[in-house]
Structures are given as C-alpha cells and as structure tokens.
Amino acid sequence: MTDFEETGDGVSTLAEHKLDGEVERIVYESEDASYTVFRLRDAQGALFTAVGTVPGLTPGQTVQLSGKWEMHKEHGRQFRVSTCVFSLPATRDGLIKYLSSGVVKGIGEKYAQAIVDTFGGETLNVLNQQSRRLREVPGLGRKRIEAIRKAWKENADRRESQIYLQGLGINPTWFARIYDKYGNNAPEAIRENPYRLASEIKGIGFTYADRIAAQLGIGKNDVRRMTAGVTYGLLQARQAGHVCMPQAAFVKFLSELLGVDEGDAGIAIEKALQTGRAASGVSHEGDVMIYEPGLLRCEDELPFIIRFLQTREHYAGEKLAQIAVPAASKFSQEQLLAVDRVSQSPITIITGGPGVGKTTVVSEIVRRAKLARLSVALAAPTGRAAKRMTEATGITSFTLHRLLKWEPETRHFSYGRGNQLPYDLYVLDETSMLDILLALAFFRAVKPGASVVIVGDPDQLPSVGPGNVLNDFIASGVCPVSRLTQIFRQGAGSGIIHAAHDVNNGVVPRLPRREKDAQADFYWIEKDAPEDAADVIERMIVDRIPRRFGLDPVRDVQLLCPMNRGTVGTLAMNERLQEKLNPEKKFVFHSLGRTFKSGDKVMQIVNNYDKNVFNGDMGFLGRIDFKEETFQVRYESGPVVEYRFEEAEQIVPAYAVTVHKSQGCEFPAVVMPLLSQHYMMLQRNLLYTGITRARSLMVLVGSRKAVSMAVRNAVREPRYSLLLEKLITGGPMS
C-alpha cells in the first residue's frame, strides 16, 4: 500500500514537505533557467534529487526547500520544489566551495580548505568577527591575511545583497553584473522596478526580469510590467523580422505574449505611444502600424537617401562608360547588360540563382573600375561572404561592419552622414541578408555621385534582422535590376546547381537510385526515422566524406539543420559531433548547459561591436585560462578575441548550425537533414538556401515526403514593413 497519488503523467506526489540541505551539484539547468535538476545532501549525509524552477543555485549553497515528493516512473523518487530560501553554507565542503567561488578575492581552493580546516563551522564567524585569527591558518602570510580581511569587510554589504538576490533566483553571473550597476542599492532598485534589469543590464531580458517580478508579487497587469512588456513585444516583433506591425495584430500579439486581455494590451500600447516608447505610421490603405521609434526613423530615412543618391550627378558612371568590353569577351548578353547598367545608374541590382555568373559580372565591373581609376570597396554582411569576394576578385573585401568602422567608445559607426566613405564604387554581396538597420548605416556613408552595385539572391531566406530590403528594392523599381538566368557554373553536370534551380522552380530534385547514378556533387540519402538520419549524418561527416573526398571533417564539412531542437537539431548533433571530432577533455568548461573544449569549432550568435565580432562569424576555440576565467576564439575573419567565461553565452558549438545562421556562408561540403519532424520549417527557401551553401559537395539526408513538402511550400511568412511603399513614393521625408 502507498500514499503516493498518481497524476496521470507517470509521476506520483505527496503532500507539501520541507527539505533542508546543501547543494551537492547541478545535474541540469535549462537555458532560460526555468527548470533545474540538482542533488541535495541533508544534515545526515543523505543525498536527494530535487527538480523545479530554482535559478541561482551554486554547489555548496545551503537551501531550505518547500515542495512535494514525487515518484517518477523513470527517475524514481525526487523532490519537486515550490519555494526555495537561500542561506550561507554551514558544512565543511559547502564552506570550501563558497569561499573558493570568487566571493573573496585572494582565496582559492587551497586557502579555502586551509581556513575551513582550521576553524570548521566557525569559519564565517571568524571572518566576520575575529578576522585576526586568520594568523592561525598554516601557510597564510601577513599580506594575504590583510588582503582577505579587507576583501571580506568590503564585501559585507555585497554578501547581504547576494543572498537576497539569490532568493529571487538570480544566479552569481547575473548578480555580478547587477551589483556592478547598482552596488549596495541593488536590492532596493530591483524591489522598486525589476523590469529595469531588462533595459539596463546587458544580457538580461524581459522574461528573466518577469520571473523576478513574480517572486516579488508583481501582478500581470502592473503598470511596470505592461510598460516594459510593450518594449519587449516590439523587440520580439523585430526578432521575427518585422519592422512594424498592424495595430490590431500587435494588440493580439502582445495580449498573448503577456497573458493579459486585449483591452489591457491596447491601453499599454496607447501609453507607450504617448510616452515615446513606441511610434506609429499609417499605410496607404489607412492601416495604423506600430513601430519601435528607431525602426520608424530608419524606414523613413532610407527611401529619402536612395532617392537623393539617384538624382545626384553620377561621376563614377561617366568614367565607367568610357571603358570598352574586351575584344575576346565571352560574356552573355544579360551579363553585358548588367555590367553596362552600372555606368547608367548610381544604384543597380544584380540578382540570380547559383551558377549564373554573378561573380563573373562583379569581376568585370571591378576590372572596368580599375581602368577608370575609380576607388573600389567590396563588402558583404558576413566574414565568410567577404572572404569569398576577395578570392573571386583579388581585391580585399570587408564585412559591412568593418567597412563602416564601429567605434566602441562612441557606440556608433565612424562613417556616416557627417563622415562619408571615400570610395567611388561599392559592390555589396549576399544582400538577401541585409536588414533595414545595416542598409541605412551603409547608404548614409555613400557620397553622392558614387556607384553602388547590390548583388543578391532574393529567393534565399530573408535577413535575420528586421525588414526585407533586397526584395523591397527589387519590387519598388527604384533602381535597375539585372536578373541573370543562364547557368554557367560547373557546366551542365553540376548536381548542386541543378538541384537548387529545381527546388526554386518547385521541382523535387532527382533521387539517385544507385551509387553510379548519383551525380558527382549532389547526393540524397533517403531516411525517415530521425535516429537513423542522425546515425547516417554522423558516419558521413566523421568518416565517409573525409575518406572519399579528402575533406577535413571540421574545417570543410558543415552540418546545416532546419532547427535547434530534435534528434537531428543543432543541439543534439553538436554534442554527437563534438564527442567524435574533438574528444580531447583536458581543457573543458561549461556554460548554459553547453560544453566547450579547446579546439572546438564555434560561432558567434550576437553582434558584439566592442569585440568587433558579429552574428554568424565562425572560428575555433583556443586557449582556455581557468585561473583568469577567460578563453580565446580565433575567427576565420582574422581577429583573435578574448572572452570571459560569463560571456560564453555569445558563442555556440558550430559543428552543426541552423540554415538561417549559415546565410552568407559557403562551405566545401554541406550535409543537411530534412525530415517530417521539421514540418514547421519545411519551406522552399530554406531548402534552397541550404543547397546553395555547398560549393563542391551536397548531401541531403531525409525523407521524400519532407523534401516534397518543402519544395511545394513557397509561401513566405509575412514581414511587416512599409519600406516598399516609401521607396515608391520617396518616403515621408521627401
């Protein structure tokens, strides 16, 4: 007979209980800290497993838990936490872990152990009240004792703040940033308005602040929450690619996001408009659109600048027009027309799929510019795309961020309206990745009379940032567009090229039935089960591709996944490939559930202007300094960048990356899974983008059903913006 009650999900529970003890270790913590599994040792030495929302835990921490015992069908008996109260450690091991955690400068594990061995359970009392007794500790010299006494005294208020904030679920990493900002006033500042953390502490978002607010008893409809919620909603819209949203759609979106009714969401938006936290515009159809104020300014200014540049005297074009086509030229008529248009208009667009000669056209434009004694700048949104331009043209190319020169001190680009770039001709490649913010920053820096050549493929995935700039430019007719259609690259035998064009035309690529029928550079391995696909992918990358094609499995072969989650998502596949391709375990550290090893292939996932590295930059993890808690990454774009351990959230292992993150890149070999479990992501432009990332070898692993679904699904998610309207009319600033 048992007093456990079945809940229906394989878990049985008891009534509310208390459990006190010391955190032995963290078994698992989700990325958003909403779920933690940890081991707790009680005063009698018994070890228990506890689960729940308990952010802020560290090994050695003493906690008092309230909750219920559960009997899980797979994991056995565990304690589900409802509330947690933190206190300073009391056991020997807990004290050692606490003192050596960095809470006192000058005490590492060696000296922490010596101090605790000397004073035992009285350690904290000695440090608080009788610090002169530190002379009793073997091996502690006078200077170190004075440093410890001073640090302990100076950190008294800090310790009190830390215990209070830990009680709100704030982990040590975030506490350090919060304390640096607010000092001893941190508890008061957070009690007054926890949502200020989202705007004032780098890395802390609305969701984290909202959880703290709930701990403080702040309700869903509290004005502080609703005010911060509008800003959060606009940020979420931006991250979804929107420049703005129709007011009715945004009210519904915000209501669902914050868990409030639409009436309250509408009131919050109106207040945000009145206080300048949000802005509005009106479409030609009379629809009211809600914006982040900065994005509205971007959308108004960009069309104005484009119209201005288009109407100025085109001195660069006049010089280009004087350079004749080579006598032995083998250019097609559409290629020659694309080249000639650069001399006829200050801004031109060259577009087309893979293998149609876009790079050839660019090389001819650059050749003519050199003969005309024009200064030329080549740029792209990513380091890999810029590197490819350099290889193709022989001219050093830049990322747009480096071309415009970001200044960390001023937090602005060096080049802009008041300090324009000196070049006469610009070629921007991979502009399907160009969002409205970067587009405006670039065009602000272009001097009147120069030529701008925009090169891109509008059928690829849109930019990660807000807007649909390339497509809007093409649709507006604001500048000449040259569409290249004739396939040249690798001739008629290129399986990659033909597969890409088939997909783009709504045709399922041919599936080779026998090995000898497989085209030289495009393979499709049919697999339906995710586990089978994952096994095949691992064998392909680790063994078969390197052995057959002589490619390096880390530097030359890239796994592109439609999603992060799932059996063949980036998270699971990175773990598998890291274990196989970088088994070294000597230098390892952990961050947010991820394991990093020296030698790992990694990717930067946010723009870090201070370090001059940007979203999508790839490199290799180098030196790890455990004493200083720093590590270095050598990026393919050139720089060696140093990070603190707490900044590891900015990078991820990159043996596998999403197709979205691969934009602007090209790899010698690409492996891409496409399964029915990816149904939410099965779109034509995703498959097309993945295939076009491969230069010499493309291996598709997946089911015919999933591939067919992706090829048929040409419907694109809408991206709200009025840029197209404003390009056609010249924008409200005109």
Side-chain angles (χ1 to χ4, degrees), residues 18 50 241 283 306 311 425 483 544 604 703 715:
K18 303 286 185 183
S283 72
I306 297 300
T311 57
L425 182 136
R483 291 180 175 84
R544 293 181 62 187
Q604 175 83 10
S703 68
V715 178

Side-chain angles (χ1 to χ4, degrees), residues 527-596:
K527 292 293 175 184
D528 295 313
E531 294 77 12
D532 292 343
D535 290 341
V536 166
I537 289 168
E538 181 183 309
R539 289 198 301 272
M540 295 294 296
I541 294 175
V542 174
D543 177 51
R544 293 181 62 187
I545 291 175
R547 182 159 42 87
R548 178 166 178 178
F549 296 96
L551 297 174
D552 185 286
V554 177
R555 293 185 178 274
D556 297 332
V557 185
Q558 184 62 54
L559 176 59
L560 301 183
C561 304
M563 301 172 66
N564 288 313
R565 303 288 178 181
T567 306
V568 289
T570 62
L571 299 177
M573 292 308 301
N574 267 316
E575 288 185 9
R576 291 182 68 146
L577 294 175
Q578 182 188 54
E579 183 63 29
K580 294 292 183 180
L581 298 175
N582 190 20
E584 173 63 57
K585 294 185 178 180
K586 185 177 180 181
F587 301 106
V588 180
F589 71 95
H590 304 275
S591 173
L592 296 176
R594 303 186 187 104
T595 298
F596 293 98

Side-chain angles (χ1 to χ4, degrees), residues 549-659:
F549 296 96
L551 297 174
D552 185 286
V554 177
R555 293 185 178 274
D556 297 332
V557 185
Q558 184 62 54
L559 176 59
L560 301 183
C561 304
M563 301 172 66
N564 288 313
R565 303 288 178 181
T567 306
V568 289
T570 62
L571 299 177
M573 292 308 301
N574 267 316
E575 288 185 9
R576 291 182 68 146
L577 294 175
Q578 182 188 54
E579 183 63 29
K580 294 292 183 180
L581 298 175
N582 190 20
E584 173 63 57
K585 294 185 178 180
K586 185 177 180 181
F587 301 106
V588 180
F589 71 95
H590 304 275
S591 173
L592 296 176
R594 303 186 187 104
T595 298
F596 293 98
K597 304 177 183 179
S598 179
D600 269 343
K601 184 180 184 179
V602 296
M603 173 183 278
Q604 175 83 10
I605 58 172
V606 295
N607 288 336
N608 188 322
Y609 295 101
D610 295 337
K611 296 183 186 296
N612 204 28
V613 289
F614 304 99
N615 190 356
D617 283 354
M618 298 177 74
F620 291 88
L621 201 153
R623 182 172 180 267
I624 301 173
D625 188 327
F626 292 97
K627 182 178 180 181
E628 297 296 328
E629 296 189 340
T630 62
F631 63 93
Q632 293 180 339
V633 176
R634 178 178 292 279
Y635 284 97
E636 293 175 338
S637 53
V640 175
V641 178
E642 184 170 276
Y643 297 81
R644 300 187 302 276
F645 278 1
E646 65 191 57
E647 296 176 307
E649 65 201 29
Q650 298 180 24
I651 66 167
V652 293
Y655 303 98
V657 301
T658 62
V659 180

Side-chain angles (χ1 to χ4, degrees), residues 126 279 329 414 437:
V126 168
S329 168
S414 176
L437 297 158

Side-chain angles (χ1 to χ4, degrees), residues 44 87 105 109 217 229 254 259 310 322 339 411 447 475 480 488 511 522 566 576 582 621 637 671 675 690 727:
Q44 287 71 46
S87 62
K105 191 174 182 180
E109 186 173 352
L254 189 65
Q310 288 283 67
Q322 299 171 16
V339 174
R411 304 202 65 77
K447 61 184 179 181
F488 294 95
L511 174 61
F522 178 75
R576 291 182 68 146
N582 190 20
L621 201 153
S637 53
V671 179
L675 305 171
L727 283 167

Side-chain angles (χ1 to χ4, degrees), residues 74-86:
E74 293 182 10
H75 304 298
R77 190 169 184 252
Q78 57 189 27
F79 192 82
R80 180 164 293 277
V81 180
S82 57
T83 62
C84 173
V85 177
F86 293 82

